[in-house]
């Protein structure tokens, strides 16, 4: 196939491109800036901003892609542009979405009224009724990490546009919390930094310790993207992508620490005795676990990288590339020492 990848040089993009090439596909990438120079020589490179997709329509359409894989869709307006640009050219679009479309996400963040949602979440679980994924201050923080994210960020309108086009079939993948090398959110940092700083105790608040959420290693998520791009059976389908085992935060912390070679103790504190930065935001009684049976049954998806190896690869990369600037995580060891 001829596959055009929009946003192929960030976090998920490089393993998607590598796996497409390994499968014998012709690949082109639209990307901003110098990172496009890091692509394999066999990849056709288009420089440009995803937010101005229509400006690059003529060049991108000239590649005549069979499938367009959009890794960085942010809003309904961007999704409309995507479908207009490639209608009549591509056979199908594969768009990345997020588990944050589910009503459970709104309940978790305190933005959705009413009762808790049952879990695990399936592709048929209710979506949010409010088109506000996160509070405005959190959107601003995320924009500092993801340059492609716009003020109208919401994956629900994205999905509607992609799945409603009668001429250009779409496939949507709802992703979990993705970790791995080049993770811009440094999801393993709260554990790995404490291990490497020689902390003998890692603290969790009670509500945070019991919370369960979906996770996926970046190369495994990329494998799901490539599988969906190559399967005509995926047309018109929505798939959850997540590891089969939904760890609690306590279980996950212990697992990461174990792989990191740590022999300390994880201590769970009552919420009213925990430092504020360790307490769970929103409503931690709303778990966010997801059922990925559909993509496994319909497309034969399996994680190519085992869990322990996925964590180990991530830790090796983090130790070789420590964060040079601010991260979303807070560390106050004096406050932790004061309560343990």
């Amino acid at each position: 196939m001829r596959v055009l990848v929009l946003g192929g040089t960030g976090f998920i993009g490089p393993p998607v491109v590598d796996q497409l090439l390994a499968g014998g596909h012709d690949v082109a990438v639209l990307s901003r800036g110098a990172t496009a120079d890091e692509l394999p020589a066999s990849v056709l490179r288009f420089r440009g901003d995803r937010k101005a997709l229509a400006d690059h329509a003529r060049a991108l359409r000239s590649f005549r892609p069979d499938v367009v894989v959009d890794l960085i869709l942010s809003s309904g307006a961007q999704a409309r542009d995507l479908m207009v640009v490639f209608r009549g050219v591509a056979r199908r679009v594969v768009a990345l979405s997020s588990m944050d479309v589910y009503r459970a996400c709104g309940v978790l963040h305190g933005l959705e009224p009413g009762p808790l949602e049952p879990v695990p979440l399936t592709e048929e679980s209710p979506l949010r009724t409010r088109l506000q994924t996160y509070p405005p201050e959190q959107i601003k923080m995320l924009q500092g990490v993801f340059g492609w994210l716009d003020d109208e960020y919401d994956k629900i309108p994205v999905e509607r546009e992609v799945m409603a086009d009668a001429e250009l079939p779409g496939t949507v993948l709802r992703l979990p919390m993705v970790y791995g090398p080049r993770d811009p959110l440094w999801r393993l940092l709260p554990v790995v930094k404490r291990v490497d700083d020689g902390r003998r105790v890692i603290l969790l608040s009670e509500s945070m310790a019991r919370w369960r959420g979906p996770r996926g290693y970046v190369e495994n998520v990329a494998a799901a993207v490539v599988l969906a791009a190559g399967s005509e059976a995926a047309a018109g389908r929505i798939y959850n992508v997540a590891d089969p085992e939904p760890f609690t935060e306590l279980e996950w912390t212990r697992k990461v620490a174990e792989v990191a070679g740590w022999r300390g103790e994880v201590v769970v504190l009552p919420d009213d005795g925990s430092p504020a930065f360790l307490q769970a935001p929103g409503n931690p009684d709303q778990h966010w676990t997801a059922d990925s049976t559909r993509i496994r049954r319909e497309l034969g998806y399996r994680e190519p990288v085992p869990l322990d190896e996925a964590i180990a690869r991530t830790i090796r990369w983090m130790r070789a590339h420590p964060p040079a600037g601010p991260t979303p995580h807070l560390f106050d060891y004096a406050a932790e020492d004061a309560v343990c």
Side-chain angles (χ1 to χ4, degrees), residues 50-65:
R50 171 64 186 76
K51 293 179 180 178
L53 187 67
D55 294 346
H56 313 289
R58 183 174 180 179
L60 296 174
R61 288 167 64 93
S62 70
F63 179 63
R64 301 200 64 80

Side-chain angles (χ1 to χ4, degrees), residues 160 164 194:
R160 289 173 179 166
R194 288 180 168 87

Side-chain angles (χ1 to χ4, degrees), residues 74-105:
S74 178
S75 63
Q78 289 187 4
R80 282 193 296 276
D81 287 346
L82 173 72
M83 306 310 279
V84 168
V85 167
F86 294 106
R87 189 179 299 134
V89 176
R91 296 203 312 265
R92 193 155 50 88
V93 163
V94 176
L96 296 198
S97 184
S98 168
M99 301 288 180
D100 66 25
V101 298
Y102 291 115
R103 181 181 174 275
C105 175

Side-chain angles (χ1 to χ4, degrees), residues 118-135:
V119 291
L121 301 167
T122 73
E123 291 84 354
E124 307 305 321
S125 293
L127 305 187
R128 285 180 283 105
T129 61
R130 296 185 177 184
L131 295 184
Q132 180 186 8
T133 313
Y134 303 108

Side-chain angles (χ1 to χ4, degrees), residues 11-303:
F11 176 34
I12 300 174
V16 167
V17 170
D18 288 345
Q19 292 180 38
L20 285 169
L21 292 174
H25 303 296
D26 294 327
V27 180
V29 167
L30 173 69
S31 180
R32 300 179 302 161
T35 53
D37 296 331
E38 301 173 8
L39 290 165
S42 59
V43 173
L44 178 62
R45 281 160 272 194
F46 295 100
R47 290 189 187 273
D49 191 337
R50 171 64 186 76
K51 293 179 180 178
L53 187 67
D55 294 346
H56 313 289
R58 183 174 180 179
L60 296 174
R61 288 167 64 93
S62 70
F63 179 63
R64 301 200 64 80
D66 298 300
V67 177
V68 178
V69 176
D70 198 328
L71 305 178
I72 52 175
L73 272 172
S74 178
S75 63
Q78 289 187 4
R80 282 193 296 276
D81 287 346
L82 173 72
M83 306 310 279
V84 168
V85 167
F86 294 106
R87 189 179 299 134
V89 176
R91 296 203 312 265
R92 193 155 50 88
V93 163
V94 176
L96 296 198
S97 184
S98 168
M99 301 288 180
D100 66 25
V101 298
Y102 291 115
R103 181 181 174 275
C105 175
V107 175
L108 172 66
H109 290 287
L111 300 173
E112 192 85 17
L116 298 177
E117 282 292 328
V119 291
L121 301 167
T122 73
E123 291 84 354
E124 307 305 321
S125 293
L127 305 187
R128 285 180 283 105
T129 61
R130 296 185 177 184
L131 295 184
Q132 180 186 8
T133 313
Y134 303 108
E137 61 274 11
Q138 192 167 355
I139 291 291
K140 292 298 181 185
M141 183 277 289
L142 290 171
Q143 287 175 327
V145 177
F146 302 104
W148 50 267
L149 194 143
D150 62 16
D151 290 339
E152 298 177 6
Y153 172 77
D154 198 310
K155 293 289 192 177
I156 291 179
V158 165
E159 292 190 5
R160 289 173 179 166
E161 295 291 339
V162 170
M163 300 302 289
D165 196 297
E167 299 178 45
L168 181 54
T171 300
V172 166
L173 301 181
R174 292 173 177 163
L175 300 193
M177 298 180 291
V178 184
Y179 67 94
R182 302 177 66 159
D183 175 9
L185 291 177
W186 299 89
R187 286 175 174 87
L188 300 195
L189 189 66
V191 179
V192 176
K193 177 174 170 55
R194 288 180 168 87
V195 169
D196 291 349
D197 286 347
R199 303 293 292 174
R200 301 309 304 159
V201 174
I202 295 178
L203 302 179
L204 293 174
S205 65
E206 184 177 9
S207 59
M208 196 72 238
R210 66 174 181 263
W211 186 75
R212 296 180 186 271
R215 294 180 176 87
Y217 178 60
V218 64
E219 292 180 51
N220 294 339
V221 169
V225 175
V226 172
L227 185 64
S231 175
E232 293 297 329
R237 301 297 281 164
I238 296 174
Y239 297 107
N240 286 342
V241 180
D243 287 347
E245 185 171 2
F247 291 100
T248 65
E249 288 295 313
L250 175 58
E251 293 166 342
W252 182 248
T253 297
R254 286 174 171 163
K255 168 60 75 174
V256 173
E258 175 190 3
V259 175
W262 190 64
R263 296 296 179 265
E265 181 183 7
V266 181
V267 174
V268 177
L269 299 174
D271 285 345
D272 58 8
S274 301
F277 66 93
L278 294 179
Q279 296 182 28
N283 184 354
D285 290 332
Q286 177 63 74
H287 299 288
W288 207 12
T289 56
D291 183 344
S292 57
T293 299
R294 178 183 289 181
I295 193 170
R296 299 174 190 277
R297 182 183 64 243
E298 294 186 6
L299 303 186
Y301 172 68
R302 298 292 183 273
E303 289 82 358

